[in-house]
Amino acid sequence: MIKNKFVNKNYLWLSSISTLIALVVSIPLLYLLFRAVSHDGFIELIFRERIFWITLKSISLVISVTFFSIVISFFLAQFLTKSDVPFKKLLTILCCLPIVIPSYVYGMVFVHLLGPRGKVFQILNSWNLIDSFPDLYGFWGATITLTFLSYPYVFLPLRAAMISLDDSFEDASRSLGRGRIKTFYYVTLPLLLPAMRSGGLLVALYTLSDFGAVALLRYQTFTWAIMNMYNGAYNRISAAALSLVLVFFAILILSMESYLKGARNFFSSSSTSSSSSLIQLDNKKWIIFLLILLVPIIGALIPIIGLLTWLIKGIIYGDVIDFNFSTIFTSLKVSFLAAISTMIISLPISFFAVKYKNKFSLLIEKISYIGFGLPSIVVGLSLVYFSINFLFPIYQTTAVLIFGYSVLFLPVGVSAIKSTLVQLNPNLEDASRGLGYGYIKTFIKVTVPLLMPSILAGSLLIFLLTMKELPLTLVLSPLNFKSLPTSIWAYASEAFFASAALPALILILLSGPASAYLVLKKNNIDVRG
């Protein structure tokens, strides 16, 4: 009876807090509904033939990028956690770097180096090796770019899941006569699916909402059409109506993820985790090493080479490299605050979704994911409208900017916490409360330490995403606010590529220590459910 009283009390608190957060992060959606209602030709707009082809192109890009990201991430995580491949820590750090590179920067470098008349073609043509170069604009260019920028969304949680995986499950399966393939399919894969799904969901939503890469590579998606409406005809009502269609597909992706997931938790009843010996690669280890290294070379080294080329050429030709180093501190500060605030509001939603599985908690969780599927300019404009009309004293303040980041990147925090929370053994919390600890002390002493690796991973992702976010920063930043992304955009828009290369390189370099901390910090969990 007493336990039921506590459970009901906790449910009331969690549901109330989660509902409040969901209502607040729904501001962009309410803004779109308000704008779209005033659009007389909404039905006619969304059923145009052009919208049909844009829909088909967007869905094709989402499926291809998500699929290739999962395949690449599984390959990387498997060998970097389960084998004796050399320099694993260094490779892991390098594999995390592409996540900090803005898609518009990668797109510019991609076109500059690998375009039909890019530098690679010019070099090979000068050696009389080729007469033409494959046109990588369009679908395949966008797929390659977004895959190598977004695969870390899957790689990081999948790597964490593999590290914490209790190998006694696999040992038990093989002792019952199942081979490695059947053991992987029936035992290992179900244990890794929460991380794959959560990471794949973020990749799908990121691809759906990206603008920089698809615009530069001339691939027409929803975000391309929406931004053209905003910037070209400045038709906010039509753009809002089209954004609602984008919301529909974001909800469809979330619904498919829920359908595939079911309502299962994966935790061990053992109080300790076991680890099997590493896979011995023998004479294949350097081949695997080079294959792994190829991924960060494409995802991080190519844009870095392009940026360095622009910077060195600018210095050689005497260009004035004008850069305000205070922008570094500004970017670090807002990114740090955004990571903290986002993880704080992620905790109640994650706990509510995992601890109390019902239709209402599922609805709250899915609402929290909507912001990540929207173009950031839509989120920014909705918060401008809301702050002007209802909270004018905080209009164009850092507080609104931080909140905008939280709306955008809340799914990252929820996904990171939830992927580990479903594996925690609830008996650990019950044992703590049986020893006299209340729910709050149990949460602080038992649950939080077990979740800390995921909290750190989620905070890192949010920090890195905030560092490179541009459209939202341009719309919501206070007066005289200058950060690394706004500096890159300001110089690049004026074709000062040498000046744009310096803050872009600094942005990439700042991600190194954060990635290294995530990889090198001892994240072993003594008691894993």
Side-chain angles (χ1 to χ4, degrees):
M1 189 73 174
I2 296 177
K3 182 177 179 179
N4 289 336
K5 180 180 178 181
F6 278 117
V7 170
N8 292 334
K9 184 178 179 181
N10 286 335
Y11 178 84
L12 180 62
W13 275 103
L14 273 178
S15 61
S16 300
I17 296 173
S18 300
T19 302
L20 179 61
I21 294 172
L23 289 174
V24 174
V25 300
S26 297
I27 290 175
L29 182 59
L30 297 175
Y31 167 81
L32 292 179
L33 289 170
F34 173 76
R35 286 289 188 181
V37 165
S38 59
H39 192 287
D40 295 332
F42 175 70
I43 302 298
E44 180 183 351
L45 172 67
I46 63 175
F47 282 103
R48 291 178 183 173
E49 182 180 355
R50 185 182 176 213
I51 301 302
F52 169 78
W53 289 111
I54 288 175
T55 301
L56 192 61
K57 288 182 176 182
S58 299
I59 293 174
S60 300
L61 186 64
V62 167
I63 293 174
S64 62
V65 172
T66 304
F67 172 77
F68 288 120
S69 295
I70 292 175
V71 171
I72 291 174
S73 298
F74 184 84
F75 167 78
L76 295 175
Q78 177 72 12
F79 283 104
L80 289 174
T81 60
K82 302 295 185 182
S83 75
D84 63 342
V85 66
F87 304 110
K88 286 197 290 188
K89 290 182 179 179
L90 175 62
L91 287 175
T92 305
I93 294 172
L94 293 176
C95 288
C96 294
L97 284 181
I99 200 170
V100 78
I101 299 175
S103 62
Y104 51 89
V105 171
Y106 194 103
M108 288 190 296
V109 175
F110 186 91
V111 171
H112 178 73
L113 293 179
L114 299 175
R117 297 293 171 182
K119 289 296 181 182
V120 174
F121 166 78
Q122 293 176 16
I123 293 172
L124 296 178
N125 182 255
S126 66
W127 294 344
N128 296 320
L129 295 176
I130 59 171
D131 294 325
S132 62
F133 198 75
D135 187 358
L136 293 177
Y137 286 108
F139 174 78
W140 287 112
T143 297
I144 293 170
T145 299
L146 290 174
T147 297
F148 282 98
L149 288 180
S150 58
Y151 76 83
Y153 292 123
V154 183
F155 170 67
L156 282 171
L158 187 57
R159 174 182 175 271
M162 285 187 177
I163 290 175
S164 60
L165 188 66
D166 191 342
D167 293 320
S168 62
F169 289 121
E170 296 174 330
D171 295 338
S173 175
R174 285 194 291 270
S175 68
L176 294 174
R178 282 179 174 169
R180 288 187 176 274
I181 296 178
K182 284 189 175 182
T183 295
F184 171 79
Y185 183 78
Y186 289 105
V187 178
T188 309
L189 186 60
L191 292 170
L192 297 178
L193 276 179
M196 285 186 179
R197 278 193 301 262
S198 60
L201 177 62
L202 293 179
V203 171
L205 294 177
Y206 175 81
T207 304
L208 192 65
S209 64
D210 179 76
F211 170 73
V214 297
L216 288 166
L217 292 162
R218 305 175 189 174
Y219 189 71
Q220 299 178 3
T221 61
F222 272 111
T223 50
W224 174 86
I226 291 167
M227 291 293 285
N228 279 349
M229 288 181 178
Y230 272 117
N231 297 329
Y234 203 67
N235 190 346
R236 291 188 177 183
I237 296 179
S238 295
L242 197 57
S243 297
L244 272 182
V245 182
L246 192 66
V247 172
F248 168 78
F249 283 104
I251 293 174
L252 183 63
I253 291 172
L254 294 169
S255 301
M256 290 177 62
E257 190 266 348
S258 299
Y259 174 77
L260 294 172
K261 174 177 59 179
R264 294 177 295 173
N265 281 1
F266 302 95
F267 56 83
S268 168
S269 60
S270 173
S271 61
T272 59
S273 62
S274 60
S275 59
S276 59
S277 58
L278 295 176
I279 299 172
Q280 302 300 315
L281 299 176
D282 298 326
N283 57 345
K284 298 178 182 178
K285 66 170 59 177
W286 290 108
I287 297 176
I288 299 297
F289 172 82
L290 292 175
L291 288 175
I292 293 174
L293 186 61
L294 183 64
V295 176
I297 284 176
I298 298 174
L301 188 60
I302 285 179
I304 291 174
I305 290 174
L307 294 171
L308 283 172
T309 302
W310 290 343
L311 182 61
I312 292 172
K313 277 189 175 181
I315 295 173
I316 292 174
Y317 294 146
D319 293 346
V320 177
I321 310 298
D322 184 21
F323 177 66
N324 185 355
F325 282 89
S326 65
T327 57
I328 298 176
F329 174 76
T330 301
S331 293
L332 291 173
K333 181 182 72 174
V334 296
S335 300
F336 179 74
L337 293 174
I340 292 177
S341 62
T342 306
M343 292 307 296
I344 288 175
I345 64 176
S346 298
L347 280 168
I349 292 180
S350 303
F351 271 83
F352 188 49
V354 173
K355 298 294 185 181
Y356 304 99
K357 291 185 176 66
N358 53 49
K359 292 183 179 180
F360 181 63
S361 65
L362 180 63
L363 175 64
I364 295 297
E365 179 193 357
K366 297 315 174 189
I367 289 176
S368 71
Y369 276 78
I370 293 299
F372 202 72
L374 288 175
S376 52
I377 191 172
V378 174
V379 176
L381 289 173
S382 68
L383 295 181
V384 167
Y385 177 85
F386 181 81
S387 58
I388 288 177
N389 289 276
F390 302 102
L391 294 171
F392 187 75
I394 65 170
Y395 170 64
Q396 275 197 325
T397 62
T398 305
V400 178
L401 179 62
I402 298 299
F403 175 70
Y405 291 137
S406 297
V407 172
L408 273 184
F409 305 132
L410 177 61
V412 178
V414 173
S415 176
I417 296 173
K418 196 180 164 201
S419 63
T420 298
L421 195 59
V422 295
Q423 298 184 44
L424 294 183
N425 192 334
N427 293 333
L428 299 174
E429 296 174 327
D430 293 340
S432 174
R433 288 191 292 270
L435 294 173
Y437 285 98
Y439 278 88
I440 296 178
K441 281 190 175 182
T442 296
F443 175 76
I444 295 174
K445 297 287 187 180
V446 178
T447 309
V448 169
L450 294 172
L451 290 176
M452 191 54 64
S454 295
I455 292 175
L456 290 174
S459 300
L460 171 66
L461 284 173
I462 295 166
F463 178 86
L464 297 180
L465 288 169
T466 305
M467 286 284 289
K468 69 176 183 178
E469 173 57 35
L470 175 64
L472 185 78
T473 308
L474 291 174
V475 173
L476 293 180
S477 60
L479 294 175
N480 300 319
F481 180 90
K482 293 182 179 180
S483 63
L484 290 173
T486 59
S487 298
I488 297 169
W489 177 258
Y491 291 128
S493 61
E494 299 293 334
F496 297 143
F497 294 112
S499 296
L502 181 58
L505 286 169
I506 292 173
L507 184 64
I508 294 171
L509 288 173
L510 287 175
S511 69
S515 300
Y517 176 81
L518 176 68
V519 176
L520 299 177
K521 182 177 174 63
K522 186 176 179 62
N523 285 335
N524 296 333
I525 301 175
D526 294 330
V527 182
R528 164 65 73 171

